Amino acid sequence: METKAARRSPAVLLATWCTTRAVLLLCVFKVYVFPGPDVTSDVSVTYRGWYEVLRHGTFPLDDVTWQYPPAAALPVLSPAALPFLSYEHAFFVLAFLADLAVLALLLYAARRPDRSRRGAWTWVAAVPLLGPTVYARYDVMVTAVAVAALLAGTRHPRAMGALAAFGALLKVWPALLLAGAVRRRPWAAAAVTAAGLAALFAVAMPGAFAFLTFQRDRGTEVESLGSLVFHVARHFGWDGQVLLNYGSIEFLGPYVDQVSTAALALTGAGFGWLLLWRLRASRFAPQTLPDAAFTAVLLFTVTSRVISPQYLVWLIGLAAVCVTHRASRMGAPALMVALASFLTVLEFPLGFTHVVLSDWYGITLLVLRNGLLVAATVTAGRSLWRATVPPPVSAPFPPQAARAQETPVSP
């Protein structure tokens, strides 16, 4: 019976993946029109516009919505590899293939005795909860690189470091994959890879690092944790605005700068906690590397001034790698991220009008989604600390006989 069930499980898994991904492809190809704003416009308008600039050998220096590291040019240019398709359709097919690559990596990793298919099931089940946005952003491609890096892990530390550095030059956050790396080899490989690629882009294409200025000037996006202050304040007379700014819908007006500064301070505090954890941690196991990366990216996401729907793709991918390890303690945070993904599709694109208007339905969705992400962050951080930081050793009490001998006798 066990053998039969073991054979059936991959078949059910693959059938589920094929079914859910077919639905996603039908949505992005607009055979079925998904309700709400058109999530594919980023590909057909924004990415396509960048493509026309990038293919002439320069970055879009005059476009403040270009807020990505230089290697982001590669996924934007990648549809050129499928010239027989339109730009949009080629991009969707490549996103689909990146999704398939993640599944293949997780299934391959699950073959080891200390691993399981829970990670593959997490990826298969949670990704479609985000809706067609998954295939309409290049984040699924970055996540594939991050998953490959973490699965290389301790067995191939140089490959892990090189992939993490390449991912960081695609979208910054994969640099956090190194949070749990203990040995020097992944750090050295990451430094060499990052320096080499950065120099190559700086020489080959002007404006490779203009994104740093554009990113610095962003405000508080309407889906972020800090935005809840203004969503509620609008019901009590706050006279700010909700406008398209730097490529996303943001709050502009009184106290926005202060809330954005507070978000940056929270990010700093989160990284301070990570540093303290690294200094105190002494019990490292194979699952520590993905567990630490998952926790670090959760901290980065929750405290960010922006929580775009596609950020959940990163978290799902990292959670999947974590629970691939049987010994991982990240099962509860992974489930919270999956539930947050479902709430994310309810607020974008399905309920985005309610979010922009700050009505109570939109606020409730954001409170629930962001609350789950905060809970996942706290739970992951506590689990990581308990698994890796030994408890303080208190001095033992002397035996009763010894205490009696040490007690002075009154004359």
Side-chain angles (χ1 to χ4, degrees), residues 340-352:
S341 300
F342 177 66
L343 288 169
T344 296
V345 79
L346 292 182
E347 63 93 0
F348 183 88
L350 294 177
F352 197 60

Side-chain angles (χ1 to χ4, degrees), residues 166-185:
F166 176 57
L169 287 173
L170 284 169
K171 206 164 188 181
V172 181
W173 67 265
L176 297 171
L177 302 181
L178 295 168
V182 179
R183 291 188 282 180
R184 295 180 181 178
R185 280 182 288 177

Side-chain angles (χ1 to χ4, degrees), residues 305-386:
R305 292 170 293 173
V306 180
I307 303 182
S308 295
Q310 61 268 25
Y311 291 13
L312 274 294
V313 182
W314 320 342
L315 298 175
I316 293 169
L318 299 184
V321 177
C322 289
V323 299
T324 296
H325 292 262
R326 295 183 187 275
S328 175
R329 300 186 179 187
M330 295 296 160
L335 178 59
M336 293 178 197
V337 165
L339 293 174
S341 300
F342 177 66
L343 288 169
T344 296
V345 79
L346 292 182
E347 63 93 0
F348 183 88
L350 294 177
F352 197 60
T353 301
H354 298 279
V355 172
V356 172
L357 293 175
S358 299
D359 65 25
W360 290 112
Y361 177 71
I363 292 174
T364 300
L365 287 176
L366 284 180
V367 168
L368 293 174
R369 194 280 302 270
N370 291 346
L372 276 170
L373 291 179
V374 171
T377 304
V378 173
T379 305
R382 183 173 56 186
S383 298
L384 179 66
W385 187 279
R386 288 179 174 178

